Each structure stands twice: as C-alpha cells, then as structure tokens.
Amino acid sequence: MKQSPKPPKQYPKPPEGTWTEHYPELGTAPVSYESSISPEFYQLEREAIFKRAWLNVGRVEQLRRKGSFFTKNLAVASTSLIVVRGADDKVRAFHNVCRHRGNKLVWTDHPAEEISGSCRQFACKYHGWKYDLDGRCSYILQEDEFFGIDKADYGLVPVHCEVWQGFIFVNFAKQPKQTLTEFLGPMITAIDYPFEKLTERYYYRGDIRSNWKVFLDAFQEFYHPPILHGHQNPVMRQSEYQQQGFYTMHFQIDGPHRVGSTSGGAGGFLVPEFYNPIERLMRSGLFGPWDPSEIVTDKLAPGLNPGNKKHWGLDSFQIFPNFAIVFWETGWYLTYHYWPTAHNRLIFEANAYFAPPKNVRERLAQQLGIATIKEYALQDCGTLEATQMGLESRVVSTFPLGDQELMCRHLNKMVNDWVDDYQRSRERSRAEV
Ligand code: FES
Ligand SMILES: [Fe+2]
C-alpha cells in the first residue's frame, strides 16, 4: 500500500517577503467588514459596482441558434434581462420591459421565474405589442389610435452587451468607462481555453443568508479547507494538514481581478488507495474526474498556471465583482456567480462544464465530482450564515487577514475603492450643478 501524501516541506513563497507585501497598496492591517453588514453600503455597492462593472450573465452555448433567448433576473440592478441571439447572429441584451405600459415582457408560468427558449419575436401578454429579436417594436395593436406614434421610438431598452471567449457580459452604465476587454485586463484576456468543447453542463444554485462578499471570500482562500472540510476530504483529514495548513502555490493580482493557483492530483494528492471506495470505483471526487479529458494536451491552454508552477492543479480566477472561473488540470472548469439580493442575502450559482461523456463511466465520474463539490459548498453555506451572524453582532469591528487570505483582502479593498470613486464622482457632479 502506498504512503499517504505528505504536505510539501518547502511551502511556496514569493521570491522575497510575503504574497501580500508584494502588493503594498493592500497593506497588512486588520480590515473592517462593515461593508458586509450595512444596508446603506449595499445600496452604494449597487450603484458603484453592479451598475458600472461588466457582469457575466451566461455563455453563448445557451443561445444555440438565431432566436434563442434566456431571461436573467438581477435583483441587484432591480431588473430582468432578455439575452437573445438575433437573426444576424449577434448576441444582445435588453431590459425585459414592454414599452407600452411596463409589463414584464418575457416569462411563462410565473413572472418571477427565469426562462429560456427560442422564438422569432417577443409578444407582450398584456395588449399584444411585438418586438423583433433586435429589440425593434414591430407591431402595435390599433396603432392608428395612438396619436401618430412612431414604432421606431418604442424599441426595447438595450443594455451594453459584449462577449469574451463565449462568456456574455452586460454593463448597466449609460456609457461604460471601459470596453469589456479593457475591463478584463491582460491577466484574464490572456486566457485562451477551448470553452466551446466543454458543453456538458451541470448547474445548481442556492439562496443563502449571508453577504455576497462574506460568501465569496470562502471560495477565494484555501486556508479553511483542512479545518472546515477536514472530515470529508481524505487528504485534508490528515493531522499534518490540520496542524500545518494548506498553502496556495501562487497569487496574482491584475486591476480588480485576482487568481490563486494550487496543486491538485498531480501534486501528490491522488493516491487512489487513500480515497473512499466510491471515489476509487468512479475514479472521481473533489478534483473532478481523475482521468484527463481529451482537451488536455502537453501544452497547457494560454493564460493558465500564470505562476508557471511545476505541480499545478487548478487556477481560481476571480473576475471582479462577482464571477469566478476555476480551471482543473484534468480538463474541466467551474464557474461561480454571487448575486446579492440584499445586504445579507445572495443567490449563489455554480456551473460545471465537461467534455460530453463518451460512456456511462465518464458520466458517473462527472456526476460524482459535482456531487462532491456540492457537498463542500453546503458545508460552506452553513458556516457563512454563521459568519454573517457573528459580523452583524458588531462585537468586533476589524479582523486580521493572513497571507493566505490575500484575495479576500484585495476584494475588500476593490469594493471600498469603487464605492469611494463613485461617491467622489457624485460629489463632483453635484458641485458642477
Ligand atoms: S404592456 Fe405590453 S402591450 Fe401593453
Ligand atoms: Fe469551502
């Protein structure tokens, strides 16, 4: 029987100092989480961040042909969107509001539910006004009674919409300060991954009683897994990890975005004898399927493993404000979205994308991977609702963050910076009036 894997003796460190000290603007002082418990701050975040940043709302595979659409409810922006592929193949986004008397235009069973489908035009359920796929108003019932109305003035209200590597982003600003490419910056746009080949999608979501950043933080540090998830994971369960901790191999920050890379199966975790019988049978578990998918070649996709680490296992890219893509060494990826619905509540969405399974064994390996990861997320959910309760007591006002929590520190600062910037520009424009 093989020995159980041991934590590395030499922990990865930057060439000098600590990871955090490489970004002096972050400081090392304890931080305040007032921004996660204040209803007023949440209202500022909605304006300063969610109505100004590019937000990912889906992928182009959800819009397979001309006329395919889906709706997306975004409480944080008090709106619902229609995202649609037009007759010209262009992907567009519109507010889901009829221009006649404001009825929500696209829905079926219940107006609060999101739907998807395909159509040639959108027709309002109330008085039958119709809109083309490019948003133009094409039909008004009894048009001649509307006092010389011009349909050209009554198209759906568009939302800025751009696509990067198949990911559809929207921006609610009247005029976004940056294009999507400028906003994503060099670290994210360096990623050139065969997303279009991974079409097998698994989705789950949760309605959670914590602030969106409190929740997100647990998905951007690897400090907690040996403790919080220690009883579930056979590697993390080891006393060495529980005493010495788990270390991220590489951190990198670029503008408001960040990445953390860790080892994975290739880093010595995959000692099959050490896993549960079901994991050995299915050859799958926390790191997803153990056997590499076809997309894995000798050459790693550009942009991945930015620290160029030898035993690379995964990259967790955090795209500001609320979107993450996690790439795994065996050739699949996960996305996470954290959609606030109140200062202490969010909708958490997870999608996992794999190459279509070629047989039952591959399908079961994918399903076990997802079931395992979902189990971890459930452990996080319970804990983070407890964290929210602790923060809301306001017994303590600042909290120390370690070097492994660099990404949490960075998000905290970015949110505060964006809100400060928004408040400054609001004051400037007030002064000008
Ligand atoms: S509100 Fe849509 S047609 Fe009247
Ligand atoms: Fe976790």
Side-chain angles (χ1 to χ4, degrees), residues 7-13:
K9 289 212 168 47
Q10 292 289 316
Y11 295 121
K13 284 276 177 199

Side-chain angles (χ1 to χ4, degrees), residues 97-105 123-131 139-141 146:
V97 179
C98 176
R99 289 295 307 274
H100 173 221
R101 267 169 51 204
N103 188 28
K104 185 170 183 178
L105 183 62
C124 182
K125 298 180 200 315
Y126 201 174
H127 312 95
W129 285 31
K130 290 181 185 163
Y131 302 89
Y139 172 77
I140 293 177
L141 179 68
F146 277 85

Side-chain angles (χ1 to χ4, degrees), residues 218-219 224-225 228-229 376 380:
F219 290 74
H224 76 276
L228 180 59
H229 308 302
Y376 276 73
D380 292 314

